[in-house]
Amino acid sequence: GVLLEGLVTNFFVIDKHGTLLTAPDKVLLGHVRALVISACRAANIPLRLEAPKVKDMATWKGCFLTSTVRVVQPIRELRQPSADGSPVHLFADLSEVLKVQALVLDALWGGEDGEAA
């Protein structure tokens, strides 16, 4: 299976190569999603419009949700449905996700002067 989005969120993954993955279509095509894509392209962060595969979860460096309210929300723990509630995947090092978050917030708020973009 693949992960596309939440009810009011978009889902992004940073894969083992540092490439940002998100579904290409059939998802909310909102402002924050577009801002993440634009900010990452401007920072030369590799991007592939491809839905992240659940089977690859153990190789991801990190993942996050985006929405108008949350902007970029890092995910620390993902649970894959199973009879006993496992497996659980923990993301201990959020540094790459936090880098994306900072890029997006900078693009949103216009940099250090606090002026909205």
Side-chain angles (χ1 to χ4, degrees):
V2 295
L3 293 168
L4 301 175
E5 63 185 355
L7 291 176
V8 294
T9 59
N10 291 109
F11 183 74
F12 289 81
V13 161
I14 300 173
D15 76 4
K16 63 184 176 184
H17 304 293
T19 299
L20 192 67
L21 302 175
T22 191
D25 53 23
K26 299 181 183 170
V27 296
L28 299 166
L29 300 176
H31 175 73
V32 177
R33 180 181 185 272
L35 188 60
V36 169
I37 291 169
S38 174
C40 288
R41 284 183 173 151
N44 294 315
I45 293 174
L47 170 73
R48 219 169 49 238
L49 295 177
E50 173 184 309
K53 295 174 180 65
V54 174
K55 69 178 180 74
D56 297 333
M57 186 186 315
T59 67
W60 299 345
K61 290 184 173 182
C63 56
F64 58 93
L65 297 172
T66 62
S67 72
T68 302
V69 174
R70 295 181 177 135
V71 186
V72 173
Q73 178 65 51
I75 296 173
R76 295 184 186 278
E77 178 181 305
L78 277 179
R79 293 181 182 270
Q80 187 174 349
S82 66
D84 64 359
S86 62
V88 173
H89 187 79
L90 300 174
F91 298 96
D93 180 3
L94 296 175
S95 60
E96 292 199 42
V97 171
L98 295 175
K99 177 182 173 184
V100 171
Q101 183 182 50
L103 287 170
V104 172
L105 291 174
D106 186 53
L108 181 65
W109 296 111
E112 294 178 20
D113 60 5
E115 293 289 322

